[in-house]
Amino acid sequence: MTSPYTRGDSISSGASRDHIKQALLDYGATDVLVSQRGNRSAIAFRGGGRQFRIVVSMPHSDGTLLLAGDIAQGPLRDAKAKVLDRAIRRFWHALAVSIDAKLGAATAGVATLESEFLAHVVLPGSRTVLEELEPVIDSAYRSGRHPLFGASAPSLPGLSATI
């Protein structure tokens, strides 16, 4: 059985955000910014000659927490608030662990910063790779046809597509 600490329940969201910022700075990233608007949060930074932006949807209430004058105020409302707070703490902790793993892989030379955060690379025009490719991938799966990404590269003789 896991303890609350290993699940991230006991670590504040702020501590996890601070950990993410410090880990990125320790890696050598610059212009690290964490922001929030509504139930969406973003982490932006520069590193390896690229800009990155990670946008995540935070766990949120089903709307029943903030109904003023509702009979659910009191113990039930407090219980729901605690559950939501714990979910948000776990979310930030999991994101911090994920970013630590990506930075660890890049530091060890197992991968590059760009390959670990490829979906979050900001392209000219301010959209991320994920924002650009997600509709293309969805369309390919719906149609069953291989998507065409720009000019198709010629095959090299003797190079197999599978490993």
Side-chain angles (χ1 to χ4, degrees):
M1 182 170 178
T2 59
S3 72
Y5 178 78
T6 58
R7 290 190 315 256
D9 300 50
S10 63
I11 301 170
S12 76
S13 299
S16 291
R17 284 190 298 273
D18 290 345
H19 176 86
I20 290 168
K21 288 172 74 172
Q22 192 59 53
L24 288 165
L25 291 169
D26 290 348
Y27 179 81
T30 61
D31 302 324
V32 178
L33 175 68
V34 178
S35 65
Q36 185 170 346
R37 182 179 299 162
N39 74 324
R40 294 174 60 85
S41 289
I43 300 165
F45 61 96
R46 293 179 191 270
R50 302 277 188 252
Q51 288 181 289
F52 299 88
R53 183 177 58 238
I54 303 167
V55 178
V56 292
S57 293
M58 303 300 297
H60 60 282
S61 165
D62 60 4
T64 60
L65 284 175
L66 304 175
L67 295 176
D70 190 353
I71 297 173
Q73 287 186 18
L76 181 57
R77 180 177 168 164
D78 291 345
K80 287 183 178 183
K82 284 181 182 180
V83 167
L84 178 60
D85 182 58
R86 189 168 49 216
I88 291 170
R89 287 194 315 258
R90 273 194 307 252
F91 181 90
W92 276 106
H93 177 71
L95 185 57
V97 169
S98 171
I99 288 173
D100 277 346
K102 291 173 180 295
L103 294 174
T107 299
V110 172
T112 65
L113 187 68
E114 189 172 34
S115 70
E116 285 299 307
F117 291 97
L118 184 61
H120 309 291
V121 171
V122 178
L123 300 168
S126 195
R127 288 175 47 99
T128 64
V129 169
L130 178 63
E131 291 168 329
E132 288 288 328
L133 291 182
E134 207 167 32
V136 174
I137 293 168
D138 287 344
S139 175
Y141 273 97
R142 279 194 309 276
S143 70
R145 300 185 72 186
H146 187 282
L148 196 58
F149 297 109
S152 59
S155 298
L156 296 175
L159 187 61
S160 174
T162 60
I163 297 180

